């Protein structure tokens, strides 16, 4: 046995997925609690941009009600996008990512933990705040609920897709603009179905079909994207 | 109980258009360390990264206890402690938390007492609760030394471990290395300093 | 037969140099035939008049735009799995041609749309996903060139192409559904059965574009090989 042969008794930790997930999830959450500025900026951006729209297009209640769900979704999407570089960049810059890559803990575990922590620090506050912004736009209670549900399902997909893109762009020239070019086209389906759910509810239809499709997309993303994120991190380490 | 052994055969790596090294072979046995020397930019760091498994090699293979690390990285990973140029220390976490985190990442469970003891040994007893951003470069390096003291990994791959350490810190590192080798550990280190436990061999690359 | 013989950049450089002119010639012949069929033989459309003839450029270009992305992603997958240099270079060489066809498809589409629908741009599912495809191409090219080490760019861009390939159908269907919800399917080809000459014209043009794409990517891959291997003996030997 290899491990038994180790002279100093390195424990034969096979390292489970859950251990890796727990490690990075708790660490990243602790970091964002210590340094809440980033989450605050994301929220401030979200609220600010959503409040700019009425100033630009006029404050007619019907118009605002019609464009409300779409505007709030676009703002949430942009806010989530702006928070992406924080997911891997600082770990890449200070060498933590090297240590994680070489850890005996499985990479999909800690990569998923990082993505989940990113969502808790950005996607979740955006979801919780969205009904408040919806009130600014005069949306009905049903629509607010549909909007929040759609954001709750859709923003994790954004975090997963964004993780893959930001890991691909680690160490690249061009920074933010490059990331926009990579990530925003891939966000299109999430936007379509997410805003579609709230709009369907607003126009008297059921939001359920949209939410089901978003849910299916989330399952697909949860299954398919962590391996892509791992591959991207390995490429970045090379 | 067979002794741990690391060997590499025919490693080659190029970066962009430049070929850094080719046909590098070496062997390190239990209780010895191999010094890696070469001019700046000769590929010492890249070789260490290749051995650790971060950078892909163009050719060649690394073996841990006779098994290819590419085929079975689990046993190798459990015994590998790699420290590159970047310390991997989070500014917002305290020395204690950084140490705890990096050990947990390596799958090593250590009591709080042991962590306090190791931090005291490297002279950070009074500063262990301060966020790392308030420590000096040398003090941050000492967190890394505490990690060396606590991690049971058999193989150290260290890139310039003495950077930013004062005389006392360097002696401390020497003692840790001595203890590691005496316990049957092995190490591959890129360093220009002459260390107290002399290297078993010196390997020059980039010539 | 040893395929890896051709996978060596120096061998492939010479092979590509010999093959590229033939593909260009084939593209010219097929293109001339296709234009003849499309502009002279094919009858005038009963509803749209002469303006419909832009489909002999538009439709083959949009076919090629998607087909090239697929081929590019396949090369990317090969380069990631087998770590072959040449496949990554081929993926890189295809991207600009694919982006060009995507742009041509969008451009001719809007010129066709103006007289037929009265507007340059419609948020139709096909047009919108074609636009997204153009951005995917731009993303690929930008990422491939964003790194100091070209191998790093190769591998990152290959992975991006694969992610994009999985996403492309999802994007298409999402936009399709969004479109039907918003404005109904107002945009469709003329319902009448297509004249056989029209079909031939489009097929000839599509094959011509295909041959052009092969020729162009072979020519471009030669330039990439020379750039990557400029320090090797065989490239220096070429210069003397």
């Amino acid at each position: 046995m290899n491990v038994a042969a180790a002279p100093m008794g390195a424990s034969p930790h096979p390292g489970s997925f859950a251990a890796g997930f727990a490690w990075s999830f708790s660490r990243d959450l602790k970091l964002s609690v210590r340094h809440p500025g980033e989450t605050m900026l994301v929220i401030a951006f979200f609220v600010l941009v959503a409040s700019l729209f009425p100033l630009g297009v006029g404050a007619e209640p019907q118009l605002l009600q019609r464009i409300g769900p779409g505007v709030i979704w676009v703002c949430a999407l942009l806010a989530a996008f702006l928070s992406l570089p924080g997911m891997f960049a600082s770990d890449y810059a200070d060498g933590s990512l090297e240590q994680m890559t070489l850890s005996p803990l499985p990479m999909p575990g800690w990569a998923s933990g990082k993505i989940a922590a990113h969502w808790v620090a950005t996607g979740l506050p955006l979801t919780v705040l969205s009904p408040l912004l919806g009130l600014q736009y005069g949306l009905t209670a049903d629509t607010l609920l549909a909007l929040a549900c759609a954001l709750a399902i859709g923003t994790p997909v954004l975090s997963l897709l964004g993780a893959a893109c930001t890991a691909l762009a680690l160490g690249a020239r061009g920074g933010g603009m490059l990331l926009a070019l990579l990530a925003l086209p891939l966000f299109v389906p999430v936007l379509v179905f997410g805003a579609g759910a709230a709009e369907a509810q607003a126009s008297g239809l059921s939001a359920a079909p949209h939410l089901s499709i978003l849910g299916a997309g989330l399952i697909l993303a949860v299954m398919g994207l962590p391996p892509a994120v791992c591959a991207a991190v390995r490429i970045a380490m090379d | 109980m067979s002794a741990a052994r690391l060997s590499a055969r025919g490693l080659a790596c190029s970066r962009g258009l430049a070929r850094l090294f080719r046909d590098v072979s070496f062997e390190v046995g239990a209780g010895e360390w191999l010094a890696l020397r070469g001019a700046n930019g000769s590929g010492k760091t890249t070789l260490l990264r290749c051995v650790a498994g971060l950078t892909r090699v163009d050719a060649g293979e690394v073996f841990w206890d006779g098994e290819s690390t590419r085929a079975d990285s689990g046993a190798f990973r459990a015994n590998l402690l790699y420290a590159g140029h970047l310390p991997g220390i989070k500014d917002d976490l305290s020395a204690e938390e950084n140490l705890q985190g990096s050990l947990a990442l390596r799958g090593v469970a250590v009591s709080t007492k042991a962590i306090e003891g190791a931090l005291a040994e490297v002279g950070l007893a009074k500063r262990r609760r301060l966020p790392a951003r308030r420590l000096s470069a040398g003090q941050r390096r000492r967190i890394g030394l505490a990690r060396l003291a606590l991690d049971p990994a058999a193989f150290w791959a260290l890139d310039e471990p003495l950077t930013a350490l004062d005389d006392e810190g360097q002696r401390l590192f020497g003692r840790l290395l001595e203890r590691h080798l005496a316990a049957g550990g092995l190490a591959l280190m890129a360093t220009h300093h002459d260390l107290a436990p002399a290297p078993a061999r010196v390997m020059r690359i980039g010539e | 037969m040893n395929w890896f013989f051709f996978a060596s950049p120096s061998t492939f450089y010479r092979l590509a140099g010999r093959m590229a002119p033939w593909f260009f010639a084939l593209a010219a012949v097929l293109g001339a035939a296709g234009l003849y069929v499309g502009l002279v033989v094919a009858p005038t459309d009963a509803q749209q008049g002469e303006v419909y003839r832009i489909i002999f450029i538009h439709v083959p270009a949009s076919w090629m735009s998607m087909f090239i992305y697929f081929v590019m992603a396949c090369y990317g997958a090969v380069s990631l799995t087998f770590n072959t240099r040449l496949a990554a270079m081929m993926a890189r060489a295809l991207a600009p041609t694919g982006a060009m066809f995507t742009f041509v498809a969008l451009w001719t589409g809007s010129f066709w749309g103006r007289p037929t629908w009265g507007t340059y741009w419609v948020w139709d599912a096909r047009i919108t996903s074609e636009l997204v495809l153009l951005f995917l191409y731009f993303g690929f090219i930008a990422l491939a060139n964003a790194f100091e080490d070209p191998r790093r760019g190769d591998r990152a861009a290959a992975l991006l192409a694969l992610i994009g390939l999985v996403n492309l159908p999802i994007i298409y269907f999402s936009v399709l559904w969004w479109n039907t919800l918003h404005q109904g399917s107002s945009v469709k080809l003329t319902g009448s059965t297509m004249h056989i000459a029209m079909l031939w014209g489009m097929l000839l043009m599509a094959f011509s574009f295909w041959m052009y794409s092969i020729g162009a990517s072979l020519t471009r891959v030669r330039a990439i090989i020379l750039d990557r291997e400029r320090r090797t003996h065989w490239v220096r030997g070429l210069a003397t």
Side-chain angles (χ1 to χ4, degrees):
Chain A
M1 252 318 285
N2 290 315
V3 177
M8 310 179 62
S11 47
H13 271 281
S16 63
F17 179 92
F21 187 95
W23 183 86
S24 61
F25 186 72
S26 58
R27 168 182 174 273
D28 279 21
L29 273 191
K30 192 191 273 179
L31 283 172
S32 48
V33 169
R34 290 279 161 87
H35 202 78
E38 245 167 72
T39 303
M40 292 301 168
L41 278 177
V42 167
I43 292 171
F45 176 85
F46 181 48
V47 176
L48 184 66
V49 176
S51 315
L52 282 180
F53 268 85
L55 299 176
V57 299
E60 289 166 61
Q62 282 99 352
L63 177 69
L64 289 185
Q65 230 168 20
R66 230 192 75 54
I67 65 167
V71 167
I72 292 174
W73 249 99
V74 172
C75 294
L77 185 140
L78 289 178
F81 165 76
L82 286 179
S83 72
L84 286 180
M87 204 175 340
F88 288 113
S90 76
D91 285 338
Y92 179 72
D94 68 19
S96 307
L97 205 54
E98 287 174 1
Q99 296 298 333
M100 291 183 220
T101 310
L102 291 177
S103 148
L105 300 177
M107 193 186 257
W110 60 255
S112 308
K114 281 187 84 65
I115 298 167
H118 176 262
W119 179 74
V120 171
T122 58
L124 189 61
L126 294 179
T127 307
V128 172
L129 263 183
S130 62
L132 276 181
L133 289 180
L135 286 178
Q136 281 193 321
Y137 283 78
L139 303 182
T140 60
D142 289 354
T143 315
L144 290 178
L145 185 67
L147 179 68
C149 287
L151 279 166
I153 307 174
T155 45
V157 184
L158 298 184
S159 288
L160 282 156
L161 279 170
C165 293
T166 184
L168 279 174
L170 279 177
R173 289 179 291 236
M177 293 317 286
L178 177 68
L179 192 56
L181 199 53
L182 302 187
L184 293 180
L186 299 179
F187 284 179
V188 166
V190 185
L191 175 66
V192 167
F193 292 117
E199 267 174 41
Q201 193 71 52
S203 58
L205 301 165
S206 166
H210 285 88
L211 293 179
S212 310
I213 291 185
L214 263 187
L218 176 58
I219 293 171
L220 204 70
V222 166
M223 308 291 285
L225 282 166
V229 173
C230 294
V233 169
R234 281 207 193 88
I235 292 173
M237 284 294 107
D238 194 346
Chain B
M1 189 164 120
S2 73
R5 192 164 52 88
L6 180 96
S7 58
R9 228 180 285 147
L11 297 183
C13 190
S14 50
R15 274 278 163 268
L17 292 173
R19 175 180 283 139
L20 286 174
F21 51 83
R22 60 188 290 191
D23 213 16
V24 170
S25 302
F26 60 86
E27 206 175 313
V28 201
E32 19 178 69
W33 75 276
L34 180 64
L36 195 54
R37 301 248 159 102
N40 290 339
S42 60
K44 298 186 297 283
T45 295
T46 309
L47 179 61
L48 275 169
R49 291 176 71 93
C50 285
V51 170
L54 282 171
T55 299
R56 280 165 167 247
V57 288
D58 293 344
E61 237 173 324
V62 177
F63 299 89
W64 174 251
D65 277 337
E67 304 245 357
S68 164
T69 57
R70 203 182 318 161
D72 172 27
S73 64
F76 179 56
R77 289 275 175 88
N79 276 300
L80 163 73
L81 194 155
Y82 169 85
H85 283 300
L86 302 165
I89 286 169
K90 283 277 154 209
D91 282 343
D92 290 315
L93 300 181
S94 68
E96 208 170 49
E97 286 165 325
N98 267 304
L99 186 55
Q100 214 153 23
S102 59
L103 289 169
L105 181 63
R106 294 258 310 105
V108 178
V110 181
S111 69
T112 328
K113 219 173 177 111
I115 287 183
E116 274 177 34
L119 286 172
E121 190 187 350
V122 299
L124 289 174
K126 286 198 192 127
R127 297 171 185 270
R128 64 177 201 271
R129 296 266 159 80
L130 283 183
R133 69 167 75 257
R134 295 181 48 195
L135 299 180
S136 72
Q139 285 170 329
R140 287 150 152 273
R141 277 277 167 187
R142 281 162 183 259
I143 301 178
L145 292 186
R147 184 174 156 225
L148 291 176
L150 288 176
D151 196 316
F155 173 55
W156 292 358
L158 308 182
D159 197 355
E160 301 290 357
L162 298 177
T163 311
L165 284 176
D166 55 14
D167 289 347
E168 200 239 310
Q170 299 195 359
R171 280 195 295 278
L172 183 61
F173 177 77
R175 283 204 297 279
L176 287 171
L177 180 62
E178 206 160 6
R179 200 198 297 170
H180 175 67
L181 299 178
L186 50 145
L188 174 65
M189 291 191 272
T191 178
H192 289 287
H193 296 78
D194 293 316
L195 275 164
R201 276 179 299 283
V202 173
M203 182 167 64
R204 302 202 158 266
I205 63 166
E207 277 155 16
Chain C
M1 184 165 175
N2 182 10
W3 286 99
F4 287 99
F5 174 72
F6 292 108
S8 131
S10 60
T11 322
F12 193 77
Y13 175 82
R14 295 193 183 92
L15 187 69
R18 248 178 280 138
M19 289 188 331
W22 290 100
F23 283 109
F24 281 129
L26 219 52
V29 172
L30 286 169
L35 284 179
Y36 177 76
V37 173
L39 299 183
V40 180
V41 179
T44 308
D45 187 78
Q47 291 166 16
Q48 299 188 19
E50 300 295 345
V51 74
Y52 90 95
R53 290 185 197 275
I54 204 162
I55 66 168
F56 294 111
I57 302 289
H58 175 73
V59 174
S62 55
W63 284 346
M64 287 313 295
S65 68
M66 287 176 268
F67 179 60
I68 290 178
Y69 194 87
F70 176 72
V71 176
M72 191 177 88
C74 290
Y75 273 119
V78 170
S79 83
L80 282 181
T81 353
F82 300 107
N83 195 21
T84 49
R85 287 178 296 164
L86 190 60
M89 294 185 204
M90 277 306 289
R92 251 180 212 255
L94 278 165
T97 309
M100 182 204 72
F101 277 125
T102 315
F103 180 73
V104 166
L106 283 169
W107 191 32
T108 53
S110 73
F111 270 157
W112 186 19
R114 182 64 186 155
T116 32
W117 311 322
T119 169
Y120 283 112
W121 186 265
V122 191
W123 288 98
D124 160 65
R126 271 177 296 198
I127 301 177
T128 312
S129 41
E130 193 77 7
L131 184 67
V132 173
L133 180 64
L134 185 64
F135 285 119
L136 288 181
Y137 273 119
F138 285 162
F140 179 93
I141 296 170
L143 189 64
N145 294 309
F147 298 96
E148 213 60 61
D149 180 2
R151 296 282 298 133
R152 167 87 206 278
D154 282 349
R155 299 174 59 209
L159 189 60
L160 179 73
L162 285 176
I163 297 175
L165 188 67
V166 177
N167 265 274
L168 209 55
I170 300 176
I171 292 171
Y172 176 77
F173 283 111
S174 74
V175 185
L176 184 71
W177 204 20
W178 164 75
N179 176 251
T180 46
L181 280 176
H182 277 250
Q183 56 175 35
S185 49
S186 59
V187 186
K188 265 192 182 148
L189 273 175
T190 47
S192 58
T193 49
M194 205 185 283
H195 195 278
I196 191 73
M198 293 186 193
L199 184 66
W200 268 110
M202 280 201 282
L203 282 178
L204 281 170
M205 288 306 289
F207 277 110
S208 161
F209 284 1
W210 191 359
M211 295 304 118
Y212 166 78
S213 307
I214 298 176
S217 53
L218 286 179
T219 310
R220 205 172 285 121
V221 86
R222 271 164 63 88
I224 296 173
I225 291 175
L226 278 190
D227 183 43
R228 293 280 180 92
E229 309 259 308
R230 62 174 178 265
R231 300 239 178 119
T232 57
H233 288 298
W234 72 269
V235 173
R236 293 194 172 167
L238 288 178
T240 53

